[in-house]
Amino acid sequence: MSYLIQSFWEICLLQKAPQDIPYSRGLFFLLLVANFLVGTLYSGLSSPDVTFGSILLLASIHMLFFVGSLSVLMTVMGYSARIFQTLTALLGTGVIITLLAMPVVLAINYAPQLTGYFGLILLLLITWDLVIMAHILRHALSVSFLLAGLFAFGYFMLSIKLVDFLLPATG
């Protein structure tokens, strides 16, 4: 298990690629559940005014959008054989980045006078997450880092629009 955690960390540091993760449907489903649970907890911390039921619904739809959109992208690009390893790498690194972001979100909630500083840290973590996604997609789709970055940024923007649509801001 520590080998896998180390591998996901090395992907976060752009030292390894998704093909370095073993092909395993079991690992994929384990990380799918872990990512869902960590993401739900993160959403609860970052949106304390949203009901738990809404957070669960949002997390479920977001997970379906994540798996579906990336599977479609990889299939259209002709790399459907790489879907499980790619999604496994994205899910594993996503758990790491989300766990790193949780204390920052808690700090924003409990020290609102320092929101600007912690907001900057959160922005850096989001940027790092997009770079990691671009790194993984570059290897998975055999494209340039720039094109992979555009795919990652496009996915990010669509997921924000999905959240805005499902949980419109009030006030």
Side-chain angles (χ1 to χ4, degrees), residues 26-48:
L27 178 60
F28 165 76
F29 286 112
L30 176 69
L31 286 168
L32 191 68
V33 170
N35 194 288
F36 178 81
L37 293 174
V38 170
T40 301
L41 180 58
Y42 176 84
S43 295
L45 293 174
S46 62
S47 305

Side-chain angles (χ1 to χ4, degrees), residues 43-85:
S43 295
L45 293 174
S46 62
S47 305
D49 298 336
V50 178
T51 66
F52 184 68
S54 294
I55 288 173
L56 279 178
L57 179 63
L58 182 65
S60 299
I61 292 170
H62 187 266
M63 191 60 65
L64 286 171
F65 176 69
F66 172 77
V67 171
S69 62
L70 290 170
S71 295
V72 166
L73 173 66
M74 296 193 67
T75 301
V76 167
M77 297 288 290
Y79 292 103
S80 58
R82 299 179 182 181
I83 290 174
F84 276 101
Q85 278 181 295

